[in-house]
Amino acid sequence: MPDRVDVVVVGAGPVGCALSLLLGTRGRSVLLLERHPGPYPLPRAVHFDDETARILQACGLGKDLPALSEPATTYEWRNGEGVPLLRFEMPAQGRQGWPSANMFNQPDLEARLFDRVKAAENLSLLWDHAAVDIGQDGDGAWVEIEPAEGGARQRVNAEYVVGCDGANSTVRDLLGVSFEDRGFFFDWLVVDVALHQPRVFDPPNLQVCDPRRPTTVVSGGPGRRRWEFMCLPGETLETLDEEAAAWAFLEPWDVRSDNATMVRHAGYRFRARWATRWHEGRIFLAGDAAHQTPPFAGQGMCAGLRDATNLAWKLDYALGHPQAAAILETYDSERIPQAAAVIEIATELGRVICIPDADEARARDEQMAPFVPPGGSTPAPPMPGISGGILTETALSGELFIQATVRAGAVEGRLDDVVGTGWHLVTSGQPPELDGELATWFESIGGRFVPLGTTVEDLEGRYGRWFADHAVTAVLERPDFAIYGTAPTDRDVTTLVAQLRDQLEAQQVSPVVS
Ligand SMILES: Cc1cc2nc3c(=O)[nH]c(=O)nc-3n(C[C@H](O)[C@H](O)[C@H](O)COP(=O)(O)OP(=O)(O)OC[C@H]3O[C@@H](n4cnc5c(N)ncnc54)[C@H](O)[C@@H]3O)c2cc1C
């Protein structure tokens, strides 16, 4: 075990693994700590979006994703009589170069993440050890580690510590951070099943808004199905969370022990809350440690991976420019409002579903009737952008840019695979010459020039259409795929890059150390 690293990451769930990999690819040394002796075997998340897919691509999993997941293109909600209330359509080709909705099995994804972590030279993964104390001073931060079986504690020093240690986070408790809690919670029984024979479910992803038993029936990734059953008033999870009860719930769906294997059944209570502060000096929170959401938008892990990708490039910048470490303040100002907005969306969806009262359900159905044109559909609610951080003030700043297929020389594929990840200055045509010093500075922060129509070919024409639709000639894309700013004409490109340099160099205040 190293005694000093750049970053200690506490908790090897998907968020801790992704953050470690994103730091590792930037050459940073990381100790990833996990209190369990090995990977957590039980499925939880079943959906990720195209932005998450692009983050996983940046973690090196791009080639694995097609086998690990299957696209979902519809998600239908019906009332107790089977009448459609909502039908979401999700494009098979999302804006980030991946299907906009992907169904998967979380342990399979985590296994691939662990493979990547183990293969990375500058990452150390320590199983079976829990973080039990943390602290910081002017020189850095430290974590005290204890073997799960007990024994001597050891201290590891680092520049930064990130608690990715889940909903019951030790790091959050030690920091004494409180929650903003929406007070919206329900108990559900989750049942994961592997069917012995392939079967077509129509619709493939269904929300049954039946007050007699609100139920979720969705893909659980290739070869698997997920059912979730709401615990009704007067019931307890203890009685519901029994194997016999789980099989009885599955019976109406023609799923029995002779045609399926139950992978697991588990009761859980979802919450709608977020930590009011996501960092204190050099110690940060990410993933479920920082926020927990109702599952109806399939966004808990996705939000956590957004934390990882936002924090990774900022930690990397702060490590390389300690005098400009105030950039880390923008982690809270950018991420908290966005995560809160996503939780609000999921809560609103949950308020439609979690209705166990027949009269209330009838009133809901009447209110929702206008949303169901026969055979029609509703676009899935868009995820909010970010604001309040490293951005310009143009209309598109903080929205996600796009990723499309390009060719550079003999290499063809998604943009990040062809030109690499990091800051992208994407221009339609040859970019105007930046003055030598500015170009060198841009490259020093990992900036890459993407001159479309010259050395980089826009194979699907998607970038060209995007530029035309938004009447711009260049986009400066951040390493987490958010638009830093746009240039309406070639003349504005130098100003855009210079603006970024000025803004990053202005982050002069050191983090507060308590
Ligand atoms: C039923 C269900 C359905 C869901 N569906 C979706 C979905 O469809 N889409 C989606 O995006 N999300 C979904 N989620 C949420 C998703 O599973 C979580 O958001 C995600 O697992 C959080 O990842 P994490 O890495 O932040 O935390 P975790 O996965 O909880 O990992 C935290 C890790 O930290 C370790 N740890 C804790 N304390 C310590 C310590 N002191 N020292 C060392 N290690 C420690 C833990 O052992 C654990 O391994 C769902 C969740 C549930 C329960």
Side-chain angles (χ1 to χ4, degrees), residues 10-16 33-36 40 44-48 104 106 110 129-132 164-170 190 226 228 264 268 286-289 295 298-303:
V10 182
V15 177
L33 276 182
E34 172 53 51
R35 67 177 171 176
H36 287 140
Y40 187 67
R44 287 173 290 161
V46 287
H47 161 269
F48 61 81
F104 78 113
Q106 188 168 338
E110 290 184 19
H129 283 71
V132 290
C164 300
D165 49 347
N168 301 315
S169 167
T170 307
V190 183
R226 156 74 55 91
E228 297 183 18
R264 77 144 185 187
Y268 83 109
D288 276 19
Q299 280 292 324
M301 183 190 80
C302 298

Side-chain angles (χ1 to χ4, degrees), residues 199 227 229 244-259 262:
R199 199 191 296 183
W227 275 264
F229 304 98
W247 282 120
F249 278 131
L250 294 173
E251 181 78 39
W253 301 91
D254 193 25
V255 175
R256 303 175 309 274
S257 56
D258 61 350
N259 63 16
M262 193 177 294

Side-chain angles (χ1 to χ4, degrees), residues 46 81 97 122 149 158 210 278 322 345 383 389 396 429 446 474 489 512:
V46 287
E81 282 69 54
N122 41 353
E149 245 95 274
D210 184 346
W278 288 16
I345 292 171
M383 290 298 117
L396 294 164
T489 70
V512 179

Side-chain angles (χ1 to χ4, degrees), residues 72-84:
T73 52
T74 61
Y75 179 25
E76 186 158 318
W77 295 27
R78 294 181 179 171
N79 69 10
E81 282 69 54
V83 176

